[in-house]
Amino acid sequence: MAGGASASGGAGNAVRIVVAGDTKTGKSSLIVTAAAENFPSNVPPVLPPTRLPEDLYPDRVPLIIIDTSSSTENRGRLVEELTKADAVVLTYACDRSETLERLSSYWLPELRRLEVKVPVIVVGCMLDRRNDQQPVSLEQVMSPIMQQFREIETCIECSALNHIQIPEVFYYAQKAVLHPTAPLFDQEQQVLKPRCVRALKRIFILCDHDRDGALSDAELNDFQVKCFNAPLQPSEIVGVKRVVQEKLREGVDDRGLTLTGFLFLHALFIEKGRLETTWTVLRKFGYNNEIRLRDDQLPPPIKKYPDQSVELTAEALDFLKKIFTTYDVDGDGALRSAELEDLFSTAPENPWNEAPYVDAAEKTALGGLTLDGFLSLWALMTLLDPIRTVETLIYIGYCGDASSSIRVTRRRRVDRKKQQTERTVYQCFVFGPKEAGKSALLNSFIGRPFPEEHVPTTGERYAVNFIDRTTGPKKILVLREIPEEVDLLSKKDALAACDVAIFVHDSSSESSWEKATDMLVDVASQGEATGYEVPCLIVAAKDDLDPYPTEIQDSTRVSQDMGIEAPIPLSAKLGDYSNIFQRIVRAAEHPHLSIPETSAGRTRKQYHRIINRSLMVVSVGAAAALVGLAAYRVYAARKNASN
């Protein structure tokens, strides 16, 4: 494999390199000599931006070099330029050791403080001034600094006066931007980084057309043409495989180049400084510098109203069911941790190793995900982050049109007017004060045992599962726990994504009931004010404890006043849930039946009815008057005709 580099996906139209360092370390002379190919006799304190021609280096990408001043009065401009840089060249004077020490004591920490996260090239200028009586090994000097500051891509020494390694300085700077080492290779361990391995594994699988686990000569040639626009000669293919086999026997078998051999080749290219080869391959397959798919490989941002949600299509679900079966190697009907990691091994990471997915679905006794649990997590990810769902589907082998994998649902507002919904995924917001039993409810929903000790929920948490129904297909229910301290309703459209809200209270505590009731009134009021009215259910948790004295009267009064169902008693401790999850789904399917009405909302509706009735009376009276006037005109016309 060989070929030219590609700048696509690298740094746009030009690479912007900022040159910084202590005063009188040769910054301006370095830039002028690179641009004019002559050592300047007179250099201004700070040069204007200098553009190097695009044909100066093989990548044919122009460079814009920004000179800077280290003086206190110019600090503002220096900071501004550093934050806009694609790469930073830090200079020191080879004959002044204090300027080298300042790199690690000031300049490199300062770049970190400013959060300038770009490659750094350290350049020793004025090499011609160093005393030859004291030879210094650059590697020996820079090794400790590079160990401490991993952002340093390359170190080089140069002399503008003697034209030593001047073009190389900006070549390495450009290369660090277009073909950075850090995302691909761990310099300390001398191995490919995990995300690079994952991307190359996906590329290998895409090129292994016959799925036999190796790239045949024909497949290798197709790969070469796709990436480098040039075929491999038979002798070159033999040579590539020989290089691999000599170093790594398992890198080649009788079918061709194995995945192990493919990865070895890329590690070899990088070790030899040919990063452009691996970057060309990655970019041909749509990857950016973070080794994720570029935006142009993904659907555009989804345009939808706040009360619309996104679901997987039947086509995507069929693909996921097949993938599940493929990776369920032991055939036990569940994906264990190793099988799941294998499934996501061609994605940048396993998306479910982090919140909110990591503990959101039901697992088997051995920690595996059943098909229902697997599809539930995909539904949750699609609800919360649909573009990431599409991206992950592509990584794991979805070959259809990316936009055909998801669909936008009808507006909830329309569902409520039509008194029915076509959604297959419902989101339920779980409100309630602390220690009311919200977490226990979520735990029971995904088969977790009742905890003996209360563990407070510190942030928003989700639980997702399928719900069986007596008629029709199963639905997916997402429970979202809203901690008491989270001010959800501060946002106008906070309830837009909610299909049902439930209000959990400790039935043995009057203060818990009062707080839950206040939350119910707040949610109902916000729904009436914004038009995002949601069906609501009250849940009387901890039914195994004695209720507080007036619990029945209070709950009956509130449910009757607001026109919703009486509180649903349940006990997570006893495992008695009163079909709560099926009742939540029913409320979501028929939203108009459980929408609460506040006294203020009721007054507003009565007022609007009176106004409408008055307008109707006025309009009927006006119509009668018009009819009378028309009749009179007909009569008058006839009378005039008879005269």
Side-chain angles (χ1 to χ4, degrees), residues 4 22 29 51 100 106 128 215 221 233 245 269 324 349 384 401 404 422 440 455 476 544 546 560 569 583-584 594:
D22 282 353
S29 296
R51 188 182 180 94
L100 174 61
Y106 174 73
D128 50 280
L215 298 184
N221 196 55
Q233 298 303 315
Q245 206 159 20
F269 291 142
F324 181 91
E349 63 275 316
L384 302 181
D401 176 15
S404 71
E422 298 167 350
V455 180
I476 294 175
D544 50 289
D546 293 331
Q560 286 180 348
R583 290 163 91 160
I584 292 171
S594 305

Side-chain angles (χ1 to χ4, degrees), residues 355-356 430 438-439 442 455-462 479-486:
V430 182
K438 302 187 297 294
S439 296
L442 266 72
V455 180
T457 303
T458 53
E460 288 185 9
R461 182 190 160 200
Y462 291 83
L479 299 183
R480 176 186 176 190
E481 182 179 347
I482 314 292
E484 183 182 0
E485 61 273 13
V486 172

Side-chain angles (χ1 to χ4, degrees), residues 243-494:
V243 167
V244 173
Q245 206 159 20
E246 284 173 358
K247 300 279 188 181
L248 196 72
R249 180 163 294 194
E250 64 270 28
V252 177
D253 63 19
D254 55 356
R255 293 163 299 171
L257 185 71
T258 65
L259 173 60
T260 308
F262 185 74
L263 295 174
F264 169 79
L265 267 181
H266 282 280
L268 192 64
F269 291 142
I270 293 166
E271 284 176 20
K272 291 183 179 297
R274 289 175 53 193
L275 290 97
E276 61 273 16
T277 302
T278 300
W279 275 117
T280 299
V281 171
L282 289 167
R283 287 174 180 147
K284 280 290 182 181
F285 283 86
Y287 287 90
N288 61 19
N289 275 15
E290 286 73 49
I291 316 189
R292 301 193 77 91
L293 288 176
R294 294 191 306 267
D295 289 345
D296 63 2
Q297 303 291 305
L298 302 171
I302 296 164
K303 293 180 181 177
K304 64 181 183 69
Y305 289 100
D307 63 342
Q308 289 179 292
S309 57
V310 184
E311 296 181 357
L312 290 164
T313 61
E315 187 179 335
L317 287 168
D318 286 343
F319 167 77
L320 289 171
K321 288 171 186 174
K322 289 174 187 171
I323 280 283
F324 181 91
T325 305
T326 301
Y327 284 89
D328 181 17
V329 178
D330 55 11
D332 65 348
L335 294 181
R336 298 194 202 180
S337 179
E339 291 169 330
L340 204 56
E341 287 300 325
D342 193 24
L343 188 153
F344 287 120
S345 65
T346 50
E349 63 275 316
N350 179 343
W352 300 343
N353 280 343
E354 58 190 43
Y357 311 108
V358 66
D359 290 318
E362 186 169 6
K363 292 182 179 176
T364 65
L366 295 172
L369 273 178
T370 63
L371 178 60
D372 277 0
F374 180 71
L375 296 178
S376 294
L377 282 176
W378 278 103
L380 177 61
M381 189 159 71
T382 307
L383 182 75
L384 302 181
D385 194 351
I387 295 298
R388 190 172 188 191
T389 288
V390 176
E391 182 184 5
T392 309
L393 282 171
I394 294 169
Y395 289 135
I396 65 172
Y398 184 77
C399 296
D401 176 15
S403 59
S404 71
S405 61
I406 53 174
R407 70 179 188 91
V408 178
T409 64
R410 191 168 68 185
R411 295 190 68 179
R412 286 176 175 85
R413 192 172 289 181
V414 175
D415 284 349
R416 282 157 202 170
K417 281 181 184 174
K418 292 184 178 289
Q419 301 186 357
Q420 61 178 359
T421 179
E422 298 167 350
R423 295 169 193 272
T424 61
V425 180
Y426 299 126
Q427 182 168 202
C428 171
F429 286 9
V430 182
F431 293 94
K434 291 175 182 174
E435 299 189 43
K438 302 187 297 294
S439 296
L441 183 66
L442 266 72
N443 284 336
S444 67
F445 183 48
I446 54 176
R448 301 271 171 84
F450 180 78
E452 291 302 320
E453 292 185 17
H454 171 71
V455 180
T457 303
T458 53
E460 288 185 9
R461 182 190 160 200
Y462 291 83
V464 59
N465 214 336
F466 274 83
I467 298 295
D468 289 313
R469 296 155 75 238
T470 50
T471 58
K474 292 193 286 189
K475 300 287 185 180
I476 294 175
L477 177 62
V478 174
L479 299 183
R480 176 186 176 190
E481 182 179 347
I482 314 292
E484 183 182 0
E485 61 273 13
V486 172
D487 186 16
L488 183 76
L489 301 182
S490 60
K491 298 174 184 174
K492 182 184 175 184
D493 59 0

